[in-house]
PDB file of all heavy atoms in Angstrom:
ATOM      1  N   LEU A 890      10.818  -3.875   7.380  1.00 98.00           N
ATOM      2  CA  LEU A 890      10.237  -3.452   6.106  1.00 98.00           C
ATOM      3  C   LEU A 890      11.273  -2.699   5.284  1.00 98.00           C
ATOM      4  O   LEU A 890      11.426  -2.942   4.083  1.00 98.00           O
ATOM      5  CB  LEU A 890       9.012  -2.567   6.351  1.00 98.00           C
ATOM      6  CG  LEU A 890       8.372  -1.981   5.091  1.00 98.00           C
ATOM      7  CD1 LEU A 890       7.670  -3.061   4.280  1.00 98.00           C
ATOM      8  CD2 LEU A 890       7.389  -0.858   5.449  1.00 98.00           C
ATOM      9  N   PHE A 891      11.998  -1.788   5.921  1.00 97.00           N
ATOM     10  CA  PHE A 891      12.997  -0.990   5.217  1.00 97.00           C
ATOM     11  C   PHE A 891      14.140  -1.865   4.699  1.00 97.00           C
ATOM     12  O   PHE A 891      14.572  -1.737   3.553  1.00 97.00           O
ATOM     13  CB  PHE A 891      13.539   0.093   6.148  1.00 97.00           C
ATOM     14  CG  PHE A 891      14.548   0.999   5.507  1.00 97.00           C
ATOM     15  CD1 PHE A 891      14.176   1.902   4.523  1.00 97.00           C
ATOM     16  CD2 PHE A 891      15.882   0.938   5.872  1.00 97.00           C
ATOM     17  CE1 PHE A 891      15.112   2.726   3.918  1.00 97.00           C
ATOM     18  CE2 PHE A 891      16.825   1.750   5.272  1.00 97.00           C
ATOM     19  CZ  PHE A 891      16.435   2.658   4.287  1.00 97.00           C
ATOM     20  N   GLU A 892      14.627  -2.771   5.545  1.00 96.00           N
ATOM     21  CA  GLU A 892      15.752  -3.624   5.146  1.00 96.00           C
ATOM     22  C   GLU A 892      15.374  -4.562   3.999  1.00 96.00           C
ATOM     23  O   GLU A 892      16.129  -4.733   3.042  1.00 96.00           O
ATOM     24  CB  GLU A 892      16.237  -4.440   6.340  1.00 96.00           C
ATOM     25  CG  GLU A 892      16.931  -3.627   7.413  1.00 96.00           C
ATOM     26  CD  GLU A 892      17.311  -4.454   8.626  1.00 96.00           C
ATOM     27  OE1 GLU A 892      16.930  -5.647   8.690  1.00 96.00           O
ATOM     28  OE2 GLU A 892      17.979  -3.915   9.522  1.00 96.00           O
ATOM     29  N   GLU A 893      14.204  -5.178   4.101  1.00 96.00           N
ATOM     30  CA  GLU A 893      13.833  -6.234   3.153  1.00 96.00           C
ATOM     31  C   GLU A 893      13.187  -5.734   1.871  1.00 96.00           C
ATOM     32  O   GLU A 893      13.149  -6.462   0.870  1.00 96.00           O
ATOM     33  CB  GLU A 893      12.924  -7.247   3.845  1.00 96.00           C
ATOM     34  CG  GLU A 893      13.612  -7.990   4.971  1.00 96.00           C
ATOM     35  CD  GLU A 893      12.766  -9.066   5.617  1.00 96.00           C
ATOM     36  OE1 GLU A 893      11.555  -9.162   5.279  1.00 96.00           O
ATOM     37  OE2 GLU A 893      13.285  -9.812   6.453  1.00 96.00           O
ATOM     38  N   THR A 894      12.674  -4.497   1.884  1.00 97.00           N
ATOM     39  CA  THR A 894      12.010  -3.972   0.693  1.00 97.00           C
ATOM     40  C   THR A 894      12.577  -2.645   0.216  1.00 97.00           C
ATOM     41  O   THR A 894      12.325  -2.249  -0.927  1.00 97.00           O
ATOM     42  CB  THR A 894      10.499  -3.777   0.930  1.00 97.00           C
ATOM     43  OG1 THR A 894      10.298  -2.670   1.818  1.00 97.00           O
ATOM     44  CG2 THR A 894       9.876  -5.036   1.528  1.00 97.00           C
ATOM     45  N   GLY A 895      13.280  -1.927   1.093  1.00 97.00           N
ATOM     46  CA  GLY A 895      13.756  -0.585   0.752  1.00 97.00           C
ATOM     47  C   GLY A 895      12.693   0.480   0.933  1.00 97.00           C
ATOM     48  O   GLY A 895      12.937   1.661   0.647  1.00 97.00           O
ATOM     49  N   LEU A 896      11.503   0.104   1.414  1.00 98.00           N
ATOM     50  CA  LEU A 896      10.413   1.056   1.613  1.00 98.00           C
ATOM     51  C   LEU A 896      10.427   1.582   3.048  1.00 98.00           C
ATOM     52  O   LEU A 896      10.581   0.799   3.998  1.00 98.00           O
ATOM     53  CB  LEU A 896       9.066   0.406   1.313  1.00 98.00           C
ATOM     54  CG  LEU A 896       8.893  -0.195  -0.089  1.00 98.00           C
ATOM     55  CD1 LEU A 896       7.482  -0.740  -0.257  1.00 98.00           C
ATOM     56  CD2 LEU A 896       9.201   0.835  -1.171  1.00 98.00           C
ATOM     57  N   ALA A 897      10.256   2.894   3.178  1.00 98.00           N
ATOM     58  CA  ALA A 897      10.302   3.520   4.499  1.00 98.00           C
ATOM     59  C   ALA A 897       8.958   4.130   4.857  1.00 98.00           C
ATOM     60  O   ALA A 897       8.410   4.932   4.092  1.00 98.00           O
ATOM     61  CB  ALA A 897      11.387   4.595   4.526  1.00 98.00           C
ATOM     62  N   LEU A 898       8.436   3.743   6.007  1.00 98.00           N
ATOM     63  CA  LEU A 898       7.262   4.402   6.566  1.00 98.00           C
ATOM     64  C   LEU A 898       7.786   5.490   7.493  1.00 98.00           C
ATOM     65  O   LEU A 898       8.155   5.226   8.642  1.00 98.00           O
ATOM     66  CB  LEU A 898       6.382   3.414   7.327  1.00 98.00           C
ATOM     67  CG  LEU A 898       5.657   2.346   6.494  1.00 98.00           C
ATOM     68  CD1 LEU A 898       4.849   1.429   7.393  1.00 98.00           C
ATOM     69  CD2 LEU A 898       4.748   2.984   5.456  1.00 98.00           C
ATOM     70  N   GLY A 899       7.862   6.715   6.976  1.00 97.00           N
ATOM     71  CA  GLY A 899       8.468   7.776   7.758  1.00 97.00           C
ATOM     72  C   GLY A 899       8.080   9.149   7.262  1.00 97.00           C
ATOM     73  O   GLY A 899       7.432   9.302   6.220  1.00 97.00           O
ATOM     74  N   VAL A 900       8.492  10.139   8.034  1.00 97.00           N
ATOM     75  CA  VAL A 900       8.261  11.544   7.690  1.00 97.00           C
ATOM     76  C   VAL A 900       9.594  12.272   7.762  1.00 97.00           C
ATOM     77  O   VAL A 900      10.502  11.856   8.502  1.00 97.00           O
ATOM     78  CB  VAL A 900       7.249  12.199   8.648  1.00 97.00           C
ATOM     79  CG1 VAL A 900       5.864  11.604   8.479  1.00 97.00           C
ATOM     80  CG2 VAL A 900       7.705  12.076  10.103  1.00 97.00           C
ATOM     81  N   PRO A 901       9.750  13.357   7.004  1.00 97.00           N
ATOM     82  CA  PRO A 901      11.004  14.112   7.067  1.00 97.00           C
ATOM     83  C   PRO A 901      11.266  14.628   8.479  1.00 97.00           C
ATOM     84  O   PRO A 901      10.359  15.078   9.175  1.00 97.00           O
ATOM     85  CB  PRO A 901      10.763  15.274   6.092  1.00 97.00           C
ATOM     86  CG  PRO A 901       9.697  14.778   5.160  1.00 97.00           C
ATOM     87  CD  PRO A 901       8.816  13.905   6.000  1.00 97.00           C
ATOM     88  N   GLY A 902      12.512  14.519   8.886  1.00 96.00           N
ATOM     89  CA  GLY A 902      12.863  15.000  10.219  1.00 96.00           C
ATOM     90  C   GLY A 902      14.280  14.627  10.604  1.00 96.00           C
ATOM     91  O   GLY A 902      14.881  13.721  10.019  1.00 96.00           O
ATOM     92  N   THR A 903      14.804  15.347  11.579  1.00 95.00           N
ATOM     93  CA  THR A 903      16.147  15.099  12.088  1.00 95.00           C
ATOM     94  C   THR A 903      16.063  14.249  13.344  1.00 95.00           C
ATOM     95  O   THR A 903      15.254  14.540  14.243  1.00 95.00           O
ATOM     96  CB  THR A 903      16.855  16.423  12.415  1.00 95.00           C
ATOM     97  OG1 THR A 903      16.895  17.228  11.229  1.00 95.00           O
ATOM     98  CG2 THR A 903      18.276  16.167  12.909  1.00 95.00           C
ATOM     99  N   TRP A 904      16.884  13.232  13.417  1.00 96.00           N
ATOM    100  CA  TRP A 904      16.880  12.365  14.590  1.00 96.00           C
ATOM    101  C   TRP A 904      17.427  13.122  15.807  1.00 96.00           C
ATOM    102  O   TRP A 904      18.463  13.791  15.709  1.00 96.00           O
ATOM    103  CB  TRP A 904      17.727  11.124  14.323  1.00 96.00           C
ATOM    104  CG  TRP A 904      17.060  10.127  13.423  1.00 96.00           C
ATOM    105  CD1 TRP A 904      16.583  10.338  12.170  1.00 96.00           C
ATOM    106  CD2 TRP A 904      16.784   8.758  13.726  1.00 96.00           C
ATOM    107  NE1 TRP A 904      16.028   9.194  11.659  1.00 96.00           N
ATOM    108  CE2 TRP A 904      16.135   8.198  12.584  1.00 96.00           C
ATOM    109  CE3 TRP A 904      17.025   7.944  14.835  1.00 96.00           C
ATOM    110  CZ2 TRP A 904      15.725   6.873  12.534  1.00 96.00           C
ATOM    111  CZ3 TRP A 904      16.615   6.614  14.780  1.00 96.00           C
ATOM    112  CH2 TRP A 904      15.962   6.089  13.652  1.00 96.00           C
ATOM    113  N   PRO A 905      16.753  13.019  16.962  1.00 95.00           N
ATOM    114  CA  PRO A 905      17.235  13.712  18.163  1.00 95.00           C
ATOM    115  C   PRO A 905      18.446  13.031  18.794  1.00 95.00           C
ATOM    116  O   PRO A 905      19.110  13.609  19.649  1.00 95.00           O
ATOM    117  CB  PRO A 905      16.028  13.673  19.097  1.00 95.00           C
ATOM    118  CG  PRO A 905      15.272  12.441  18.678  1.00 95.00           C
ATOM    119  CD  PRO A 905      15.468  12.336  17.194  1.00 95.00           C
ATOM    120  N   VAL A 906      18.723  11.792  18.376  1.00 93.00           N
ATOM    121  CA  VAL A 906      19.875  11.028  18.871  1.00 93.00           C
ATOM    122  C   VAL A 906      20.535  10.365  17.668  1.00 93.00           C
ATOM    123  O   VAL A 906      19.961  10.319  16.574  1.00 93.00           O
ATOM    124  CB  VAL A 906      19.452   9.952  19.894  1.00 93.00           C
ATOM    125  CG1 VAL A 906      18.841  10.588  21.133  1.00 93.00           C
ATOM    126  CG2 VAL A 906      18.473   8.964  19.264  1.00 93.00           C
ATOM    127  N   ALA A 907      21.741   9.854  17.866  1.00 95.00           N
ATOM    128  CA  ALA A 907      22.398   9.117  16.790  1.00 95.00           C
ATOM    129  C   ALA A 907      21.598   7.859  16.486  1.00 95.00           C
ATOM    130  O   ALA A 907      21.172   7.148  17.411  1.00 95.00           O
ATOM    131  CB  ALA A 907      23.817   8.755  17.199  1.00 95.00           C
ATOM    132  N   PRO A 908      21.356   7.556  15.211  1.00 96.00           N
ATOM    133  CA  PRO A 908      20.587   6.354  14.870  1.00 96.00           C
ATOM    134  C   PRO A 908      21.257   5.103  15.423  1.00 96.00           C
ATOM    135  O   PRO A 908      22.459   4.914  15.246  1.00 96.00           O
ATOM    136  CB  PRO A 908      20.598   6.347  13.341  1.00 96.00           C
ATOM    137  CG  PRO A 908      20.901   7.748  12.941  1.00 96.00           C
ATOM    138  CD  PRO A 908      21.787   8.294  14.016  1.00 96.00           C
ATOM    139  N   PRO A 909      20.502   4.232  16.093  1.00 93.00           N
ATOM    140  CA  PRO A 909      21.088   2.989  16.604  1.00 93.00           C
ATOM    141  C   PRO A 909      21.410   2.033  15.462  1.00 93.00           C
ATOM    142  O   PRO A 909      21.063   2.278  14.298  1.00 93.00           O
ATOM    143  CB  PRO A 909      19.998   2.422  17.515  1.00 93.00           C
ATOM    144  CG  PRO A 909      18.730   3.028  17.023  1.00 93.00           C
ATOM    145  CD  PRO A 909      19.091   4.371  16.486  1.00 93.00           C
ATOM    146  N   GLU A 910      22.058   0.936  15.797  1.00 89.00           N
ATOM    147  CA  GLU A 910      22.467  -0.047  14.799  1.00 89.00           C
ATOM    148  C   GLU A 910      21.274  -0.511  13.963  1.00 89.00           C
ATOM    149  O   GLU A 910      20.213  -0.817  14.501  1.00 89.00           O
ATOM    150  CB  GLU A 910      23.109  -1.248  15.488  1.00 89.00           C
ATOM    151  CG  GLU A 910      23.660  -2.299  14.538  1.00 89.00           C
ATOM    152  CD  GLU A 910      24.314  -3.460  15.268  1.00 89.00           C
ATOM    153  OE1 GLU A 910      24.396  -3.417  16.508  1.00 89.00           O
ATOM    154  OE2 GLU A 910      24.729  -4.411  14.588  1.00 89.00           O
ATOM    155  N   GLY A 911      21.464  -0.539  12.648  1.00 91.00           N
ATOM    156  CA  GLY A 911      20.415  -0.977  11.752  1.00 91.00           C
ATOM    157  C   GLY A 911      19.533   0.135  11.226  1.00 91.00           C
ATOM    158  O   GLY A 911      18.684  -0.104  10.357  1.00 91.00           O
ATOM    159  N   TRP A 912      19.733   1.352  11.713  1.00 96.00           N
ATOM    160  CA  TRP A 912      18.863   2.466  11.340  1.00 96.00           C
ATOM    161  C   TRP A 912      19.577   3.579  10.580  1.00 96.00           C
ATOM    162  O   TRP A 912      18.962   4.594  10.239  1.00 96.00           O
ATOM    163  CB  TRP A 912      18.195   3.036  12.584  1.00 96.00           C
ATOM    164  CG  TRP A 912      17.121   2.149  13.106  1.00 96.00           C
ATOM    165  CD1 TRP A 912      17.260   1.124  14.010  1.00 96.00           C
ATOM    166  CD2 TRP A 912      15.738   2.176  12.748  1.00 96.00           C
ATOM    167  NE1 TRP A 912      16.047   0.526  14.228  1.00 96.00           N
ATOM    168  CE2 TRP A 912      15.098   1.149  13.472  1.00 96.00           C
ATOM    169  CE3 TRP A 912      14.984   2.976  11.891  1.00 96.00           C
ATOM    170  CZ2 TRP A 912      13.732   0.895  13.359  1.00 96.00           C
ATOM    171  CZ3 TRP A 912      13.627   2.734  11.779  1.00 96.00           C
ATOM    172  CH2 TRP A 912      13.015   1.700  12.501  1.00 96.00           C
ATOM    173  N   ALA A 913      20.851   3.422  10.307  1.00 95.00           N
ATOM    174  CA  ALA A 913      21.612   4.483   9.637  1.00 95.00           C
ATOM    175  C   ALA A 913      21.048   4.800   8.260  1.00 95.00           C
ATOM    176  O   ALA A 913      20.939   5.971   7.865  1.00 95.00           O
ATOM    177  CB  ALA A 913      23.082   4.087   9.540  1.00 95.00           C
ATOM    178  N   GLY A 914      20.691   3.771   7.494  1.00 95.00           N
ATOM    179  CA  GLY A 914      20.167   3.984   6.155  1.00 95.00           C
ATOM    180  C   GLY A 914      18.842   4.725   6.168  1.00 95.00           C
ATOM    181  O   GLY A 914      18.582   5.582   5.303  1.00 95.00           O
ATOM    182  N   PHE A 915      17.999   4.406   7.124  1.00 97.00           N
ATOM    183  CA  PHE A 915      16.709   5.080   7.269  1.00 97.00           C
ATOM    184  C   PHE A 915      16.931   6.563   7.550  1.00 97.00           C
ATOM    185  O   PHE A 915      16.351   7.439   6.896  1.00 97.00           O
ATOM    186  CB  PHE A 915      15.928   4.427   8.412  1.00 97.00           C
ATOM    187  CG  PHE A 915      14.445   4.672   8.385  1.00 97.00           C
ATOM    188  CD1 PHE A 915      13.574   3.659   8.032  1.00 97.00           C
ATOM    189  CD2 PHE A 915      13.921   5.904   8.731  1.00 97.00           C
ATOM    190  CE1 PHE A 915      12.192   3.864   8.024  1.00 97.00           C
ATOM    191  CE2 PHE A 915      12.553   6.130   8.724  1.00 97.00           C
ATOM    192  CZ  PHE A 915      11.683   5.116   8.366  1.00 97.00           C
ATOM    193  N   ALA A 916      17.817   6.842   8.525  1.00 97.00           N
ATOM    194  CA  ALA A 916      18.092   8.231   8.900  1.00 97.00           C
ATOM    195  C   ALA A 916      18.778   8.998   7.784  1.00 97.00           C
ATOM    196  O   ALA A 916      18.570  10.208   7.616  1.00 97.00           O
ATOM    197  CB  ALA A 916      18.943   8.266  10.166  1.00 97.00           C
ATOM    198  N   ALA A 917      19.595   8.297   6.988  1.00 96.00           N
ATOM    199  CA  ALA A 917      20.313   8.947   5.889  1.00 96.00           C
ATOM    200  C   ALA A 917      19.362   9.504   4.828  1.00 96.00           C
ATOM    201  O   ALA A 917      19.743  10.406   4.071  1.00 96.00           O
ATOM    202  CB  ALA A 917      21.283   7.960   5.244  1.00 96.00           C
ATOM    203  N   ARG A 918      18.169   9.007   4.773  1.00 96.00           N
ATOM    204  CA  ARG A 918      17.170   9.535   3.836  1.00 96.00           C
ATOM    205  C   ARG A 918      16.496  10.788   4.385  1.00 96.00           C
ATOM    206  O   ARG A 918      15.618  11.363   3.749  1.00 96.00           O
ATOM    207  CB  ARG A 918      16.109   8.487   3.532  1.00 96.00           C
ATOM    208  CG  ARG A 918      16.589   7.309   2.723  1.00 96.00           C
ATOM    209  CD  ARG A 918      15.406   6.538   2.170  1.00 96.00           C
ATOM    210  NE  ARG A 918      15.800   5.300   1.519  1.00 96.00           N
ATOM    211  CZ  ARG A 918      14.953   4.451   0.963  1.00 96.00           C
ATOM    212  NH1 ARG A 918      13.650   4.718   0.966  1.00 96.00           N
ATOM    213  NH2 ARG A 918      15.387   3.348   0.374  1.00 96.00           N
ATOM    214  N   GLY A 919      16.900  11.209   5.582  1.00 97.00           N
ATOM    215  CA  GLY A 919      16.275  12.370   6.199  1.00 97.00           C
ATOM    216  C   GLY A 919      14.899  12.084   6.736  1.00 97.00           C
ATOM    217  O   GLY A 919      14.043  12.970   6.818  1.00 97.00           O
TER     218      GLY A 919
END
């Protein structure tokens, strides 16, 4: 959903681990 539309289903928060491949952009939004 995030890749194809730019829409994120998420809540503010810090990742407890480094974002895996494909998730950097999601995590970069906090």
Side-chain angles (χ1 to χ4, degrees):
L890 176 71
F891 182 69
E892 290 176 354
E893 296 184 353
T894 71
L896 303 183
L898 292 179
V900 293
T903 302
W904 285 56
V906 297
E910 184 179 357
W912 286 89
F915 200 107
R918 291 195 187 180

